[in-house]
Amino acid sequence: MYDILVVGAGPAGASAALFAAKAGKKVAVFDNDKSITKRAWVENHYGVIEVTGPELVETGKKQAEKFGAEIVEATVENIEKADGGYTVIAGYKTYSAKHVIIATGLLTDVAEKVGLKTKPGTEPRIKTVLDVDANGKTNMNGIWAAGTIAGVSVHTIITAGDGAKVAINVISELNGERYVDHDLMK
């Protein structure tokens, strides 16, 4: 049983997995290698002079793995309600957790299949997003959304920040108190 399952390993998903794993949560993040960031050239990401989208995605996954997140190379076929949480079906295997974070960018098919409420997107070329509250909660208790699918800007710096924000909110709910992650220089 995992604490958090993250569907999508682009900037939002990997950032959510990084924060959750660093907080000591048992995390798996699912990567189907379809992130739109894989086609990007990025020169507007704070702290990075320039980077290719594929490099940014791989670095994010490595950061999450560094703290114990499990990277699962598979497409999520379904998410089902289960006792005390959800079961994610991916690559002929099942994974269970109390919370799921959907961070699938432009791809809404699994979210819609599950019954998550959608609304029209406001970004150019983003037709549909999930209807979430300010914390990233969807209409299904325990399923959250982060990044482009949650209606935030498609820019990598913004989706990564949204993934971190949503993860902090999930961690806080799991811990029963507000979670803050601050490191000090050694």
Side-chain angles (χ1 to χ4, degrees), residues 35-114:
S35 172
I36 61 169
T37 304
K38 291 271 187 133
R39 298 187 307 246
W41 175 255
V42 181
E43 292 186 65
N44 61 353
H45 198 102
Y46 176 80
V48 177
I49 300 300
E50 59 188 32
V51 67
T52 69
E55 290 171 316
L56 186 64
V57 170
E58 288 308 308
T59 298
K61 291 187 325 188
K62 285 178 186 172
Q63 287 177 297
E65 278 184 306
K66 173 185 173 183
F67 292 106
E70 179 183 343
I71 308 295
V72 179
E73 303 288 338
T75 297
V76 171
E77 289 100 33
N78 203 6
I79 302 168
E80 299 173 350
K81 186 81 174 130
D83 265 351
Y86 294 91
T87 298
V88 168
I89 298 133
Y92 306 105
K93 292 184 180 179
T94 60
Y95 303 80
S96 297
K98 185 171 184 178
H99 294 273
V100 176
I101 299 173
I102 308 282
T104 54
L106 305 171
L107 306 175
T108 60
D109 50 340
V110 169
E112 291 181 270
K113 182 178 183 179
V114 173

Side-chain angles (χ1 to χ4, degrees), residues 36 105-106 119-129 148-149 151-152 154:
I36 61 169
L106 305 171
K119 65 181 184 180
T122 58
E123 288 283 302
R125 298 179 298 281
I126 308 299
K127 291 181 174 74
T128 306
V129 297
T148 301
I149 196 165
V152 302
V154 297

Side-chain angles (χ1 to χ4, degrees), residues 138-160:
T138 69
N139 60 298
M140 295 177 72
N141 191 34
I143 299 185
W144 308 66
T148 301
I149 196 165
V152 302
S153 174
V154 297
H155 297 90
T156 61
I157 191 76
I158 296 170
T159 60

